[in-house]
């Protein structure tokens, strides 16, 4: 039987990953409405990645003979003061998620659940990547300042991101 404390915490994390997807999808719509379609695409792919993260928890809970329980998602914010403001918020959000993942590792270790600990290590590594990619965009937007030309160049560059495979639920 799957440890009920870990099952409960993993169900909460599944919700947090879906919540991340919802936030990034809302940011994608914001960027599209600002005619920044490259950033809109980037955030849409980011949302797809978060769905992949949620599905990893979904599959793992099931594999451990646990029970997935879905909970309500909050209404995401829909407006940001600037592209920089949106990406800063995305970075703060990823930092929060990293904290949640670290908390889950602490719990798995405390409960001596080695399988869950091993499963979570993928997320520990993934969060380094997630924070780093968003941070590099924040840095660029800070350099850009009020230059529309530079902003459109960055938008074009971010529009080059390749989509995660639709069937890839491995994240
Ligand atoms: Fe995630
Ligand atoms: Fe993420």
């Amino acid at each position: 039987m799957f440890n009920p404390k870990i099952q409960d915490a993993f169900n909460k994390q599944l919700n947090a990953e879906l919540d991340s997807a919802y936030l990034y999808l809302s940011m994608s719509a914001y960027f599209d409405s600002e005619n920044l379609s490259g950033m809109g695409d980037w955030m849409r792919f980011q949302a797809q990645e978060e769905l992949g993260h949620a599905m990893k928890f979904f599959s793992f809970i099931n594999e451990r003979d646990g029970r997935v329980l879905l909970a309500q998602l909050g209404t995401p914010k829909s407006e940001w003061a600037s592209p920089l403001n949106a990406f800063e918020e995305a970075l703060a959000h990823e930092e929060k998620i990293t904290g949640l993942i670290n908390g889950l590792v602490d719990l798995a270790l405390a409960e001596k659940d080695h399988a869950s600990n091993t499963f979570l290590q993928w997320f520990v590594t993934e969060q380094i990547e997630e924070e780093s990619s968003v941070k590099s965009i924040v840095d660029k937007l800070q350099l850009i300042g009020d230059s529309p030309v530079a902003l459109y160049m960055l938008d074009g560059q971010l529009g080059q991101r390749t989509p995660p495979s639709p069937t890839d639920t491995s994240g």
Side-chain angles (χ1 to χ4, degrees):
M1 186 190 136
F2 195 28
N3 181 316
K5 274 192 217 168
I6 294 184
Q7 173 176 294
D8 183 50
F10 277 21
N11 271 311
K12 286 199 174 79
Q13 188 64 30
L14 197 171
N15 186 266
E17 299 292 345
L18 289 175
D19 187 66
S20 301
Y22 227 35
L23 174 64
Y24 296 150
L25 201 56
S26 188
M27 285 183 178
S28 175
Y30 157 75
F31 285 125
D32 282 342
S33 78
E34 296 287 311
N35 296 313
L36 293 164
S37 62
M39 292 182 187
D41 285 350
W42 195 96
M43 274 299 172
R44 189 158 44 83
F45 297 154
Q46 192 63 22
Q48 285 177 22
E49 272 204 18
E50 299 300 349
L51 286 177
H53 296 170
M55 290 313 296
K56 271 182 175 284
F57 279 96
F58 185 95
S59 300
F60 186 79
I61 294 166
N62 281 332
E63 274 169 22
R64 297 294 300 280
D65 213 15
R67 178 68 165 95
V68 169
L69 292 169
L70 299 177
Q72 195 165 13
L73 296 170
T75 304
K77 209 168 136 175
S78 56
E79 295 292 337
W80 287 269
S82 63
L84 173 60
N85 178 242
F87 274 98
E88 280 174 338
E89 196 170 312
L91 179 58
H93 184 78
E94 287 301 327
E95 287 166 351
K96 189 185 88 183
I97 295 292
T98 299
L100 293 177
I101 296 291
N102 289 339
L104 293 176
V105 172
D106 289 343
L107 177 67
L109 292 175
E111 295 293 316
K112 299 187 184 348
D113 184 341
H114 299 290
S116 289
N117 178 41
T118 299
F119 166 77
L120 288 166
Q121 292 309 308
W122 183 90
F123 284 91
V124 171
T125 308
E126 173 70 6
Q127 282 310 117
I128 298 171
E129 167 70 31
E130 292 271 83
E131 284 190 33
S132 156
S133 67
V134 179
K135 175 78 164 53
S136 80
I137 298 169
V138 167
D139 289 346
K140 283 174 188 150
L141 284 167
Q142 280 169 345
L143 278 175
I144 283 169
D146 290 331
S147 163
V149 175
L151 182 64
Y152 272 87
M153 282 177 64
L154 178 63
D155 185 64
Q157 192 191 323
L158 293 179
Q160 304 298 309
R161 177 173 181 175
T162 50
S165 156
T167 53
D168 181 14
T169 58
S170 66

